[in-house]
Amino acid sequence: MASSTLICETQPWKTLKAHVEDIKKTHLRDLMSDSERCKSMMVEFDGLFLDYSRQCANQDTMGKLLGLAEAAHLKEKINKMFSGERINITENRSVLHVALRAPRDAVINSDGKNVVPEVWKVLDKINEFCERVRSGSWVGATGKALKDVVSVGIGGSFLGPLFVHTALQTDPEAVACAKGRQLRFLANVDPIDVAKSITGLNPETTLVVVVSKTFTTAETMLNARTLREWISAALGPQAVAKHMVAVSTNLTLVENFGIDPNNAFAFWDWVGGRYSVCSAVGVLPLSLQYGFPVVEKFLKGASSIDQHFASAPFEKNIPVLLGLLSVWNVSFLGYPARAILPYSQALEKFAPHIQQACIVSMESNGKGVSIDGVPLPFEAGEIDFGEPGTNGQHSFYQLIHQGRIIPCDFIGVVKSQQPVYLKGEMVSNHDELMSNFFAQPDALAYGKTSEQLLSEKVPQHLIPHKTFSGNRPSLSLLLPYLNAYNVGQLLAIYEHRVAVEGFIWGINSFDQWGVELGKSLASQVRKQLNNSRTSGEPIEGFNYSTTTMLTKYLE
Ligand code: F6P
């Protein structure tokens, strides 16, 4: 395929289009009765178990999807990513988040230079700094140890670390290492979020970490100035040096802000914001909270998936299979959304993180043109959303069961972080939770027919309401446990799945121009608010609607 050819013009794409009719003729109920087919749709790797037999697909579909991968040069694209080629062509950057979790002795080049030693230099600096803070040898301006941390950042500089922190907050090993410390996040510029982030904290014992790749993001910089003022007002301006540190690629702006560059932790242009949780963006706040050894396990889990992604044959490669199935669901079966349904409260912030890329998926693949700038004649990207089960079952699952068809990812954990056994009860809380994890995919796949309802003597007038069409695809991913290592695995699977989708669709999953327009319009509004407030200038340059609303706001 020539580089400017759209994937939809290739023969494998056309073959898959034609194959849709065959698949639509077969109900999942029938597909599930073929145990050989089911067996071929299960993969195990490093303690993880993936079952994708409840996808509306058969072995023939999978073969055709692998053909599509070949037509899209998927293997070459993955290799280019791992070898540091500048595959993010609109920003002229490499995409090397895999280097952030590579073992110390690995060699990963960007522009002919091995970046792994630089990565480890920063990791070692984080380890050493966190040790000093956690042991109380680094103290605040009044000589007290810093036991609480507020991490200020937004988007990728927030959602990934929040997801990992939430997942570890109930893991006994991590909790023991936290030793009563608190980690909070401040993302929204809304003053309510500011208040929530510092309520009950004492500036004397608080460390603020300002996290921004660019160090220019309006919300983060305003929030950072607000917290700088909070510290200065309580402890004097000289206290900032002891109570504020930064994570950024722009160390000059960090210094201009008033943070000592020695207390800044670098990362690099080749790390996309939404792929930055394994850089100092996540590693610093998480290590302050849990200690570096716990966070190192998270990096190792992600690295294990990186190696699997780079080397496993596609038919056994978890991120590749997930990516291909997403393309099948979105571009061929026409299902534009995906529900991410972890049956673990500890993963409650996983879906919000994946939404962006999620932060990984929607910021990455929400694109309308190919990597060469050609408008796509097909839809790319998915609408990701989710909520832990069983909570979601009592809200939006109705839509998934009897309304729109939304492919679901069920994520379950074999052993709970917090098992509860009630005397006399044979089924524990976790068993109860997992009973739902196992039942929901079958409810979606099989549905319930009018014949079944009739045999259950359901009154005729209720039959249309109680019928479930079934044939609704899902996949199930079972994790052995949820510790730092498994959280790293989960993160990397989804990051790479998104990359696979983008590689197949032929888009650039690593830029995000779509967020710029809103940002620049907000800056015009901000300027107008400032002018109107300071010199009473009339509102101008906006349409009738915005002018009217701004006038009302200023009144
Ligand atoms: O608005 C999108 C975005 O550019 C994300 O990609 C990024 O993670 C976030 O803003 C924050 O950017 P920064 O880390 O530069 O403050």
Side-chain angles (χ1 to χ4, degrees), residues 192 417 438:
I192 294 171
Q417 290 177 334
F438 292 114

Side-chain angles (χ1 to χ4, degrees), residues 36 55 90 118 173 214 226 249 284 304 391 514:
E36 276 310 306
Q55 288 288 309
T90 60
E118 282 179 67
E173 187 197 342
T214 54
T226 305
T249 56
L284 178 63
S304 151
N391 287 6

Side-chain angles (χ1 to χ4, degrees), residues 69 95 128 144 147 156 165 170 197 215 243 294 307 364 369 377 389 391 406 408 416 432 444 454 458 464 506 517 536:
V95 176
E128 193 250 344
K144 291 190 179 162
K147 58 181 185 55
H165 173 50
T170 41
S197 73
F215 231 70
H243 291 262
V294 170
Q307 285 158 35
S364 295
V369 295
N391 287 6
I406 298 176
C408 297
S416 174
E432 178 60 35
L444 288 168
L454 277 172
V458 171
L517 179 60

